[in-house]
Amino acid sequence: MKKVFLAAFSFILLLLISCTAKNVNQENQYKSFKPGEIWLDTDGNPINAHGGGVLFHEGTYYWYGEYKGDSTYRNPNPNVAGWECYRTEAGGVSCYSSKDLYNWKFEGKVLEPDTVNIGSDLHPSKVLERPKVIYNEKTKKFVMWLHVDSDDYWKASAGVATCDSPAGKFNYIGSMHPNGQISRDMTLYKDDDKRAYLLYSSEGNATLYISLLTDDYLQHSGRYTRNFPEKYREAPAVFKHNNKFYLISSGCTGWDPNKAEYAMADSLLGQWTALNNPCRGVDAEKTYYSQSTFALPVNGKKDTYIAMFDKWNKTDLIASRYVWLPVSFNSDSLVINWADEWSY
Ligand code: GAL
């Protein structure tokens, strides 16, 4: 009896040790970025946070993104017969946390889909894309903006949600046509003076709007600019370097890749100068088969920014991957070089 007990005890001990070792291993499994490769979270599952953005808050990075359903189909809606409208169930917004940007822990869905009410913006039959989160010091709320749409992309609205903590359950407030115009691809930017802006493709995607939000970040202040009219720029990603603003965007070809371009301005609501493709090297003309989503300043590292792109897999959207690349500068000019593997 004693022997059996000892054997069972040793077995359980070994199991515990190997599980702990596995966890430690998975929490530190990456020491570098490998753009375009499968990226696993600390539970060993592929990261499901597409079209996303990253918030740095009190020592932790939070990556928010589209949580894609696991089957992709061509949308049979006749309104989209003219283009390849592949879609999958909108599964809400996921959140992952990290201390080092390489290893990400799944925090769950911070914006849950509404599986009951078919009229809800959050119903899985709808489109829910490009979520971004910023923190409002005055209201102490985390504020999320995202692109919400009907399955045929005609609703073209901006949705807003808030939460008291970065990885808690966000409360969905609703959606709108900001400044009376449609809104599709978007990003959110909070400046050093705490003013925040929504940047979104509007006027049938032809023009990129930059709109100052109200102090609580929940509405539009009425101050906005129309940029790059008739240029059809999508997938905006913005950052500030040496007091200049840089805006990376893509062309408008659905899930298919195209050439990125960037623009510069002295202030967000000021005059933007459209420049060229910042990408260099093989497949630079197709943005390495990916599309911009966010530009991330690395905390505590001066002049270090990461350009985040999605490598869409249009016929299997959940299998879309991530291309994170280092940003460099040639004098003022923005340069993005391909790297098979890199660390900051
Ligand atoms: C792209 C857009 C994506 C998604 C896709 C649907 O142009 O950037 O976020 O909306 O179209 O085809």
Side-chain angles (χ1 to χ4, degrees):
M1 186 65 193
K2 202 172 162 192
K3 267 190 185 159
V4 174
F5 177 75
L6 256 178
F9 180 74
S10 318
F11 177 73
I12 290 168
L13 201 69
L14 271 174
L15 206 70
L16 275 176
I17 290 170
S18 81
C19 283
T20 316
K22 192 171 161 241
N23 272 342
V24 169
N25 197 17
Q26 284 186 347
E27 268 157 34
N28 298 294
Q29 63 182 323
Y30 298 115
K31 304 250 179 288
S32 61
F33 299 109
K34 290 187 180 168
E37 300 283 303
I38 290 176
W39 199 349
L40 303 178
D41 66 15
T42 53
D43 295 326
N45 301 312
I47 293 175
N48 192 343
H50 308 274
V54 175
L55 166 76
F56 181 74
H57 186 75
E58 295 183 347
T60 302
Y61 293 96
Y62 297 90
W63 176 359
Y64 304 89
E66 304 158 16
Y67 191 88
K68 296 224 176 265
D70 56 11
S71 68
T72 301
Y73 56 94
R74 178 101 184 239
N75 188 354
N77 187 327
N79 291 348
V80 293
W83 58 288
E84 288 192 311
C85 184
Y86 284 102
R87 54 162 290 121
T88 182
E89 288 209 332
V93 175
S94 54
C95 175
Y96 293 79
S97 65
S98 174
K99 296 280 183 197
D100 63 6
L101 292 168
Y102 305 123
N103 299 285
W104 293 90
K105 175 177 179 284
F106 184 47
E107 296 283 351
K109 291 184 185 183
V110 289
L111 188 64
E112 292 279 358
D114 179 344
T115 51
V116 179
N117 176 8
I118 193 154
S120 163
D121 285 346
L122 307 181
H123 191 268
S125 62
K126 305 292 172 57
V127 166
L128 199 158
E129 292 179 343
R130 299 187 177 271
K132 309 285 176 319
V133 174
I134 50 177
Y135 178 61
N136 188 305
E137 272 89 358
K138 271 195 199 148
T139 61
K140 305 211 176 328
K141 296 272 185 203
F142 293 83
V143 180
M144 176 190 294
W145 282 83
L146 68 165
H147 168 198
V148 297
D149 224 319
S150 44
D151 74 306
D152 58 2
Y153 286 85
W154 275 103
K155 180 165 176 154
S157 299
V160 62
T162 62
C163 189
D164 293 334
S165 59
K169 296 285 178 204
F170 278 67
N171 177 35
Y172 187 65
I173 298 173
S175 63
M176 68 194 77
H177 279 165
N179 302 302
Q181 290 287 343
I182 67 135
S183 166
R184 290 202 181 92
D185 280 14
M186 46 130 292
T187 195
L188 199 53
Y189 183 80
K190 179 176 154 185
D191 206 350
D192 301 331
D193 63 5
K194 316 284 186 227
R195 288 180 181 209
Y197 302 79
L198 191 75
L199 294 85
Y200 54 97
S201 303
S202 192
E203 300 179 9
N205 297 344
T207 305
L208 190 92
Y209 278 45
I210 303 182
S211 173
L212 175 68
L213 298 175
T214 48
D215 285 353
D216 58 8
Y217 305 165
L218 300 181
Q219 290 175 51
H220 290 260
S221 68
R223 278 189 69 196
Y224 67 92
T225 56
R226 295 173 63 247
N227 303 277
F228 324 116
E230 300 302 317
K231 294 285 186 242
Y232 290 86
R233 301 313 298 170
E234 286 197 320
V238 70
F239 68 99
K240 182 155 89 171
H241 169 69
N242 277 349
N243 283 322
K244 295 208 180 299
F245 291 91
Y246 291 78
L247 172 63
I248 305 169
S249 65
S250 77
C252 190
T253 55
W255 301 116
D256 294 331
N258 55 56
K259 186 167 68 128
E261 279 176 16
Y262 81 102
M264 282 175 75
D266 290 329
S267 77
L268 274 165
L269 294 179
Q271 185 62 44
W272 286 87
T273 307
L275 293 154
N276 45 19
N277 182 2
C279 301
R280 302 279 181 276
V282 180
D283 299 328
E285 292 300 297
K286 294 272 183 212
T287 319
Y288 319 112
Y289 290 91
S290 62
Q291 186 186 28
S292 42
T293 184
F294 198 71
L296 167 64
V298 178
N299 182 61
K301 298 248 172 209
K302 196 172 176 299
D303 303 338
T304 306
Y305 311 88
I306 298 174
M308 293 168 49
F309 302 88
D310 292 286
K311 187 169 184 167
W312 300 118
N313 182 337
K314 68 181 175 189
T315 55
D316 187 8
L317 284 164
I318 193 178
S320 301
R321 296 188 186 173
Y322 313 97
V323 169
W324 288 22
L325 290 169
V327 161
S328 52
F329 300 91
N330 183 356
S331 177
D332 266 356
S333 309
L334 180 64
V335 176
I336 298 173
N337 284 304
W338 176 261
D340 288 334
E341 181 173 4
W342 68 282
S343 49
Y344 58 84

